[in-house]
Amino acid sequence: MAHYRASESKREQFRRYLEKAGVLDSLTNVLVALYEETEKPNNALDFLRQHLGVPGPEAADVETLRLELTELRQKYDLVLEENKELKNKLLQYEPLQEEGRSE
């Protein structure tokens, strides 16, 4: 029973903290705004972020990063292919070097 009261006390302290900081009011207002939307957004989390003032990435930034990622992946694939070719060439010459040393 004492454990239950201790956790209840912590819960109550946390609730008072959120209330004092204005978190409960802000969340309530945003959730009410979402509820009152006639056309519900596809992404409720984005709606919450936007209305709480949490900055998100700009669409242009996201597109730029996607293009950069695509380019870097292509370069990476080319470098991997080049590395594979160079390793194969190296393997062609290594046995010859071994034979030249033993003679």
Side-chain angles (χ1 to χ4, degrees), residues 23-41:
V23 173
L24 293 179
D25 286 338
S26 294
L27 285 175
T28 301
N29 291 338
V30 171
L31 290 172
V32 167
L34 178 59
Y35 176 77
E36 291 175 347
E37 282 288 315
T38 53
E39 226 176 281
K40 302 294 184 234

Side-chain angles (χ1 to χ4, degrees), residues 27-86:
L27 285 175
T28 301
N29 291 338
V30 171
L31 290 172
V32 167
L34 178 59
Y35 176 77
E36 291 175 347
E37 282 288 315
T38 53
E39 226 176 281
K40 302 294 184 234
N42 291 333
N43 191 331
L45 193 54
D46 282 346
F47 180 91
L48 293 176
R49 284 186 185 121
Q50 186 178 21
H51 285 78
L52 283 173
V54 177
E58 296 290 325
D61 292 339
V62 171
E63 189 56 32
T64 301
L65 289 172
R66 281 192 182 134
L67 289 172
E68 185 179 349
L69 178 62
T70 301
E71 289 174 12
L72 289 173
R73 283 182 175 159
Q74 290 172 349
K75 286 180 182 179
Y76 173 77
D77 290 339
L78 289 172
V79 168
L80 281 180
E81 187 61 35
E82 182 183 12
N83 187 8
K84 186 178 176 181
E85 290 172 11
L86 290 172

